């Protein structure tokens, strides 16, 4: 019996969200504060505020209109943030508190495309899609200037660094730079040397020189006194941002002589340093691998010594400004998450495959991100070897890669293999030891890849180029795409699941067919071996999960509950339960013995492609098409402990209540019953008071000495009691006390009194009518009784004969 109880307690009953990774940057502007502690990113309708040290999103600032944010800027003193939305509203934020301090109309006739503060943090310039530039005083709250003359969208505005000169620079779609005097409210000069959109304007420390960059692959140095260009530097790439470097030697960046040096970021995805005088490139960082590496933004935070750059696939990179050593990486947008896995022997890291050729490795404690390049097309699946250091990935580029994480948490590619003729959609690693892996592809074949000894020897360092893997066996398994492969816990069996609606069992390593599992009505998305029994689980697009016996290939159980395709299934609780995820966005927990869905977890808004359970079976990881990665924690034991503590507390309170009633301490008994929030217990106390010989006086004394919140609760309970003819007398007695002794204005101030009165009236009328009818019947009965009484018999007369 004890064993059975222990078995029941081992079942999981619930999971709770422990950590959630959501997109915080979806393109547009990114800005660092002066101290380099906070990162501000545009994310659709919100501006996300990220803490650089921990990588956590502190706040998401969203305007009341819930329209997309089109521009924002943080003041140089880091105090004020202003955002502009597509609804043509500007919002001024106290961003640390997350509150809007002022909201006003932008007056532009089209959305604001750009904005910038002046050095004193008092003036704000906005450039609109209507070709207008407006200047606002954010301290006194009024518009100061309306500057017209630009043709097309004004996508760039910048104040001169010397506030005394009151100069504003703007650039529009006509590729010119306009210099505006705020004193005379006029355009002082139009700088025309670029042939394509100007992307950035930066100024020297003395304020005499300006550098402009453009998509015409040149950077131009301007003399701001003569408004003439002094140098044109061809940089041979479309430049998205340029940064002027401090005027001091930086030998690590090739800056050895005094003079103007600047850094560019653009379409080649490289940070490069140029000497303005000679027009030479004095430093170029190594070319990054993989597509999607074009840089879209770059900015320097001099006070913190950090350089910020942003890639086209929404990765935010922070460098040491003096050496360009990468300090931190953040993945702003993970797109559609296709697979997730725990990494490390303690499950300290996770690896995420999204709709991208890059893999992202996150440390769970700090959210530190590492972006892995190697594949040339979208990574479709992942799997991890038993010890947690080595993992495999497969992609649409028809290749597989092996990656190893060292004890410092750094990951490097150690092996790669190719041989499939179509996308490789699934991969599974050997279970007993790190000896081989199996892949399944759209070419309807599976391949078995043994791991070379040199890869497994501890002396081998991952510093060299990746080792080439060779397939030992290839087997055509199905007539359609293979969606899933699984290796048995003993490494001797292989299961494959396909779009052809069947799963098959194979003997390893020769890949000999042992049997076919048929029964699903649609294609299979996942196959999984039980860790304890000779059972295979299959998840299908027909919305069901089936369990199959390996001995005779018969179907043992079918689980129905998902409204759409079941995409992943995993055994938990030592093979006695199942976790499943579906394209309905739900994660379900099943108990195998009872065929029962114990819990449905709803935190995703789209298909849940990725599902993985931790080594200790106490956490689960899910990733979906909604770009969310969610870490779930098993809270069964915690909830059981809380439930037990609650039960014990209720037993103690019930005992105390019985003692108080026995001692006739009605006030404390009633207060305790109300605190338990149990109407029936309160009713018992009221009934005990009414059984007292001096019931009326006792009830009045007790009710009137209650606190106001207790009286409100008592009135709420009266509504419930009044619906039942057996308990209505107690309800009416309490109501009578309240109505006789409480002033009407105080009664009307009770919380929910209107709803309570509306609920009390119809039942009270019904009880009154019932009592009236009873009284009538009793009176009539009394009348009948009196009329039915026999008149007394007359006394006998004395006989006349006597």
């Amino acid at each position: 019996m004890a064993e059975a109880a222990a078995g029941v307690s081992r079942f999981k009953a619930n999971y709770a969200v422990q950590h959630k990774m959501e997109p915080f940057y979806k393109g547009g502007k990114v800005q660092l504060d002066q101290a380099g502690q906070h990162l501000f990113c545009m994310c659709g309708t919100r501006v996300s505020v990220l803490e650089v040290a921990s990588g956590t999103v502190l706040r998401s600032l969203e305007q009341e209109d819930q329209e997309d944010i089109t521009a924002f800027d943080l003041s140089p003193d880091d105090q004020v943030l202003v955002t502009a939305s597509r609804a043509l509203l500007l919002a001024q934020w106290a961003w640390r508190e997350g509150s809007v301090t002022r909201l006003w109309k932008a007056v532009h006739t089209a959305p604001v495309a750009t904005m910038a503060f002046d050095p004193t943090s008092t003036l704000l310039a906005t450039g609109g899609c209507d070709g207008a530039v407006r200047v606002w005083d954010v301290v006194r709250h009024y518009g100061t200037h309306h500057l017209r003359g630009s043709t097309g969208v004004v996508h760039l505005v910048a104040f001169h660094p010397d506030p005394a000169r009151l100069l504003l620079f703007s650039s529009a779609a006509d590729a010119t730079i306009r210099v505006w005097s705020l004193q005379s409210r006029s355009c002082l000069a139009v700088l025309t040397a670029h042939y394509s959109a100007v992307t950035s304007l930066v100024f020297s420390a003395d304020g005499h020189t300006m550098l402009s960059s453009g998509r015409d692959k040149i950077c131009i140095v301007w003399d701001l006194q003569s408004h003439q260009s002094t140098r044109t530097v061809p940089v041979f790439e479309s430049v998205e941002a340029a940064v002027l470097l401090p005027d001091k030697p930086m030998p690590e960046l090739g800056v050895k002589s005094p003079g103007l040096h600047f850094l560019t970021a653009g379409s080649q995805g490289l940070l490069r340093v140029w000497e303005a005088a000679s027009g030479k490139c004095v430093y170029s960082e190594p070319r990054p691998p993989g597509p999607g590496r074009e840089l879209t933004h770059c900015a320097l935070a001099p006070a913190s010594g950090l350089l910020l750059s942003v890639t086209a696939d929404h990765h935010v990179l922070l460098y040491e400004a003096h050496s360009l050593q990468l300090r931190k990486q953040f993945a702003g947008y993970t797109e559609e998450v296709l697979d997730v896995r725990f990494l490390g022997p303690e499950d300290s890291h996770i690896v995420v495959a999204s709709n991208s050729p890059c893999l992202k490795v996150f440390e769970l404690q700090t959210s530190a991100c590492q972006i892995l390049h190697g594949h040339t097309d979208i990574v479709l699946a992942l799997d991890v070897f038993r010890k947690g250091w080595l993992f495999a990935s497969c992609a649409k580029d028809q290749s597989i890669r092996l990656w190893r994480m060292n004890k410092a948490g750094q990951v490097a590619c150690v092996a790669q293999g190719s041989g499939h003729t179509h996308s490789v959609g699934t991969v599974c690693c050997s279970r007993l030891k790190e000896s081989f892996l199996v892949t399944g592809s759209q070419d309807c074949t599976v391949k078995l890849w043994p791991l070379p000894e040199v890869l497994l020897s501890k002396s081998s360092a991952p510093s060299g180029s990746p080792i080439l893997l060779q397939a030992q066996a290839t087997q055509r398994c199905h007539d359609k795409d293979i969606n899933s492969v699984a290796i048995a816990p003993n490494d001797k069996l292989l299961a494959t699941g396909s779009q052809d609606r069947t799963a098959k069992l194979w003997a390893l390593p020769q890949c000999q067919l042992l049997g076919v599992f048929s029964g699903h009505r649609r294609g299979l998305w996942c196959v999984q071996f039980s860790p304890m029994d000779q059972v295979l689980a299959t998840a299908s697009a027909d919305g069901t999960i089936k369990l199959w016996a390996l001995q005779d290939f018969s179907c043992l159980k079918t689980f129905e509950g998902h409204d759409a395709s079941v995409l992943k299934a995993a055994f938990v609780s030592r093979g006695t339960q199942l976790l499943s995820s579906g394209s309905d966005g739900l994660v379900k927990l099943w108990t195998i013995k009872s065929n029962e869905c114990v819990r449905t977890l709803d935190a995703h808004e789209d298909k849940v492609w990725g599902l993985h359970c931790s080594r200790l079976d106490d956490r689960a990881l899910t990733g979906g098409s909604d770009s969310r990665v969610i870490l779930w924690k098993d809270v069964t034991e915690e909830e059981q402990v809380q439930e037990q503590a609650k039960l014990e507390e209720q037993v103690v309170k019930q005992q105390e209540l019985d003692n108080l009633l026995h001692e006739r301490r009605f006030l404390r008994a009633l207060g305790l019953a109300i605190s338990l929030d149990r109407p029936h217990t309160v009713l018992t106390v009221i009934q005990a008071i009414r059984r007292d010989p001096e019931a009326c006086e006792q009830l009045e004394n007790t009710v009137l000495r209650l606190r106001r919140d207790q009286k409100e609760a008592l009135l709420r309970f009266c509504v419930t009691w009044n619906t039942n003819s057996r308990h209505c007398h107690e309800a009416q007695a309490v109501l009578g006390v309240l109505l006789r002794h409480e002033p009407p204005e105080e009664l009307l101030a009770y919380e929910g009194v209107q709803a309570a009165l509306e609920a009390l009236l119809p039942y009270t009328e019904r009880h009154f009518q019932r009592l009236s009818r009873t009284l009538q019947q009793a009176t009539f009965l009394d009348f009948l009784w009196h009329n039915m009484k026999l008149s007394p018999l007359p006394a006998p007369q004395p006989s006349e004969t006597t």
Side-chain angles (χ1 to χ4, degrees):
M1 192 73 181
E3 285 179 12
V8 170
S9 65
R10 276 201 298 271
F11 285 145
K12 299 182 189 304
N14 197 10
Y15 284 87
V17 175
Q18 184 180 358
H19 184 60
K20 192 182 284 191
M21 292 182 182
E22 295 184 284
F24 62 84
Y25 173 60
K26 293 183 178 178
K29 184 175 178 177
V30 177
Q31 187 175 357
L32 264 176
D33 64 358
Q34 295 296 324
Q37 294 176 349
H38 299 95
L39 194 64
F40 297 79
C41 311
M42 283 172 66
C43 186
T45 60
R46 311 186 309 274
V47 171
S48 303
V49 184
L50 195 77
E51 188 178 48
V52 172
S54 66
T56 54
V57 176
L58 297 179
R59 296 202 180 278
S60 284
L61 309 176
E62 185 175 23
Q63 291 187 197
E64 289 177 5
D65 50 54
Q66 295 185 338
E67 293 279 348
D68 283 350
I69 301 292
T70 56
F72 78 89
D73 199 43
L74 179 70
S75 61
D77 61 5
D78 291 342
Q79 296 304 311
V80 177
L81 179 80
V82 176
T83 59
S85 75
R86 202 169 285 280
L88 307 182
L89 289 175
L90 295 171
Q92 185 174 322
W93 297 83
W95 61 269
R96 287 184 173 88
E97 292 79 37
S99 59
V100 176
T101 56
R102 185 178 165 231
L103 193 69
W104 74 100
K105 288 183 179 178
V107 192
H108 289 277
T109 57
V112 174
T114 183
M115 64 172 67
F117 272 96
D118 80 325
T120 64
S121 302
T122 56
L123 295 179
L124 176 77
T126 58
C129 296
D130 55 359
V133 176
R134 290 182 177 273
V135 182
W136 311 85
D137 188 322
V138 295
V139 177
R140 296 188 183 90
H141 302 168
Y142 69 96
T144 61
H145 296 76
H146 180 202
L147 309 172
R148 297 196 69 87
S150 306
T151 55
V153 176
V154 178
H155 59 264
L156 191 60
V157 288
F159 281 94
H160 191 277
D162 182 2
R165 296 180 67 173
L166 287 172
L167 291 179
L168 176 67
F169 298 79
S170 71
S171 181
D174 57 3
T176 62
I177 301 166
R178 283 179 163 75
V179 185
W180 306 89
S181 168
L182 298 185
Q183 282 177 322
S184 63
R185 298 171 182 266
S186 62
C187 181
L188 295 182
V190 179
L191 311 182
T192 56
H194 283 282
Y195 299 100
S196 188
V198 179
T199 52
S200 67
L201 299 172
V202 284
F203 303 88
S204 61
D206 59 10
H208 299 319
T209 307
M210 179 178 77
L211 177 77
S212 64
S213 66
R215 296 197 179 114
D216 50 7
K217 304 185 179 181
I218 58 172
C219 290
I220 300 174
V221 181
W222 302 88
D223 182 347
L224 292 182
Q225 292 171 326
S226 63
H227 296 145
Q228 298 295 319
S229 65
T230 59
R231 180 80 188 174
T232 299
V233 181
V235 294
F236 312 108
E237 69 168 330
S238 178
V239 180
E240 292 299 323
V243 173
L244 277 178
L245 295 177
D247 195 5
K248 61 180 182 181
M250 293 183 178
E252 290 163 308
L253 302 183
V255 180
K256 297 172 184 174
S257 58
L260 202 67
H261 289 78
F262 61 91
L263 180 142
T264 59
S267 57
Q268 291 186 16
L270 304 173
L271 293 175
R272 297 191 289 173
V273 179
W274 302 81
E275 185 180 42
S278 64
K280 289 182 180 176
C281 178
V282 294
Y283 173 85
S284 178
E285 70 170 339
R287 181 173 292 278
R293 294 285 289 171
E294 300 86 1
L295 297 175
T296 59
H297 189 73
C298 187
L300 183 67
S304 59
L306 290 176
L307 182 82
L308 163 78
S309 75
V310 183
T311 67
D313 48 7
H314 307 114
H315 298 156
V316 182
L317 313 174
L318 291 179
Y319 297 89
E320 296 285 354
H322 65 275
S323 63
L324 289 189
Q325 288 293 315
L326 186 62
R327 187 160 137 188
K328 283 231 171 192
Q329 300 181 75
F330 300 103
Y333 185 53
T334 50
E335 298 185 74
E336 188 173 6
V337 178
L338 300 179
D339 210 355
V340 287
R341 286 290 185 276
F342 284 102
L343 283 186
E346 307 289 329
D347 294 330
S348 56
H349 294 66
I350 62 170
V351 57
V352 177
S354 60
N355 203 11
S356 154
C358 306
L359 289 171
K360 300 172 185 75
V361 176
F362 297 91
E363 187 180 357
L364 286 173
Q365 199 168 0
T366 63
S367 295
C369 176
Q370 212 179 136
I371 296 157
L372 309 180
H373 300 276
H375 286 287
T376 57
D377 208 339
I378 294 171
V379 179
L380 296 174
L382 303 164
D383 200 24
V384 184
F385 283 95
R386 189 169 60 93
K387 291 180 181 175
W389 297 113
L390 201 64
F391 68 96
S393 62
C394 61
K396 277 189 176 181
D397 60 9
Q398 304 173 13
S399 75
I400 60 165
R401 282 180 177 263
L402 270 180
W403 311 79
R404 176 177 285 150
M405 185 171 76
N406 61 21
K407 291 185 178 176
Q410 297 300 309
V411 180
C413 181
V414 293
Q416 63 179 3
S418 57
H420 284 286
T421 57
H422 281 80
S423 300
V424 187
T426 176
V427 62
C428 188
C429 300
S430 55
R431 295 295 175 226
L432 283 178
K433 55 183 180 177
E434 297 170 347
S435 55
F436 67 93
L437 55 91
V438 174
T439 56
S441 165
Q442 283 186 5
D443 60 12
C444 307
T445 67
V446 294
K447 287 182 182 286
L448 188 143
W449 310 79
L451 269 55
E453 286 296 326
V454 64
L455 195 63
L456 304 175
S457 62
K458 292 185 179 178
S459 60
S460 68
S463 55
S465 58
I467 298 166
L468 287 175
L469 297 175
Q470 296 292 331
Q472 176 184 312
T474 302
Q475 177 68 46
R476 182 177 173 86
C477 297
H478 291 271
D479 297 327
K480 290 186 179 178
D481 301 359
I482 296 172
N483 291 331
S484 180
V485 293
I487 297 171
N490 62 2
D491 283 350
K492 292 181 180 177
L493 297 173
L494 170 72
T496 58
S498 166
Q499 206 64 35
D500 65 6
R501 299 183 291 183
T502 65
K504 294 184 179 180
L505 190 66
W506 309 82
L508 291 176
Q510 292 83 15
C511 289
Q512 295 169 323
L513 181 62
L514 298 177
V516 180
F517 304 96
S518 300
H520 282 291
R521 299 188 305 277
R522 291 193 179 177
L524 273 64
W525 282 113
C526 181
V527 291
Q528 200 69 251
F529 283 99
S530 167
M532 307 300 288
D533 305 306
Q534 294 190 4
V535 169
L536 181 76
T538 57
S540 166
D542 61 12
T544 66
I545 306 155
K546 289 181 182 288
L547 293 186
W548 309 82
L550 298 184
Q551 287 93 344
D552 56 3
F553 309 103
S554 62
C555 179
L556 301 173
K557 283 181 181 289
T558 301
F559 300 91
E560 297 181 11
H562 284 279
D563 294 331
S565 302
V566 185
L567 302 175
K568 280 283 192 300
F571 284 93
V572 292
S573 308
R574 298 172 64 86
T576 58
Q577 289 181 295
L578 273 172
L579 266 180
S580 65
S581 67
S583 56
D584 51 8
L586 302 177
V587 178
K588 287 181 178 285
L589 176 66
W590 309 83
T591 299
I592 292 173
K593 190 173 182 181
S594 62
N595 260 49
E596 180 189 2
C597 177
V598 180
R599 186 73 59 178
T600 298
L601 310 172
D602 186 5
H604 286 280
E605 294 174 357
D606 208 340
K607 301 179 184 72
V608 184
W609 288 106
L611 171 67
H612 191 224
C613 297
S614 65
R615 199 175 303 273
L616 296 176
D617 204 22
D618 60 341
R619 292 183 296 174
L621 191 65
T622 57
S625 297
D626 54 2
S627 304
R628 289 179 183 167
V629 176
I630 297 176
L631 180 66
W632 303 87
K633 184 184 177 186
D634 177 15
V635 292
T636 306
E637 283 188 23
E638 291 175 23
E639 288 186 349
Q640 285 175 348
V641 168
Q642 288 173 3
E643 192 66 33
Q644 187 64 32
K646 198 182 286 184
L647 282 172
E648 288 173 4
E649 186 185 357
Q650 285 185 348
V651 167
V652 169
K653 284 190 173 181
Q654 187 64 49
Q655 183 60 52
E656 188 182 349
L657 187 65
D658 293 342
N659 293 342
L660 290 170
L661 289 173
H662 183 69
E663 294 165 13
R664 301 169 58 77
R665 294 163 66 186
F666 296 126
L667 179 65
R668 282 201 61 190
L670 192 58
L672 182 61
I674 291 170
S675 72
L676 287 170
D677 197 30
R678 296 207 308 238
H680 189 265
T681 308
V682 179
L683 179 66
T684 308
V685 176
I686 297 288
Q687 286 170 342
I689 295 171
R690 293 189 75 227
R691 280 196 295 271
D692 191 89
E694 300 170 355
C696 186
E697 192 180 333
Q698 278 282 14
L699 188 63
E700 280 185 14
N701 291 340
T702 308
V703 170
L704 294 175
R705 286 165 65 191
L706 292 173
R707 297 193 312 270
R708 177 171 160 173
D709 61 316
Q710 292 175 325
K711 289 177 185 175
E712 287 173 355
L714 199 55
L715 186 62
R716 249 190 354 263
F717 297 156
C718 283
V719 173
T720 308
W721 304 335
N722 201 45
T723 59
N724 190 324
S725 59
R726 284 183 299 170
H727 305 146
C728 66
H729 304 292
E730 285 77 14
Q732 293 296 325
V734 172
L735 275 174
V737 172
L738 291 174
L739 291 169
R740 278 197 304 274
H741 297 279
E742 289 284 299
E745 58 274 9
E746 200 165 317
L747 270 175
L748 287 171
Y750 280 15
E751 188 182 345
V753 69
Q754 189 174 348
L757 289 174
E758 286 174 0
L760 284 165
L761 278 171
Y763 283 100
T764 303
E765 285 175 8
R766 192 181 298 174
H767 298 322
F768 182 71
Q769 288 167 4
R770 182 167 49 80
L771 286 171
S772 299
R773 285 197 304 272
T774 308
L775 185 62
Q776 282 177 359
Q777 290 165 359
T779 309
F780 184 64
L781 194 65
D782 192 44
F783 170 74
L784 280 178
W785 167 248
H786 280 293
N787 283 329
M788 287 170 66
K789 281 183 181 177
L790 295 172
S791 56
L793 292 171
Q797 295 294 325
S799 173
E800 292 180 4
T801 55
T802 56

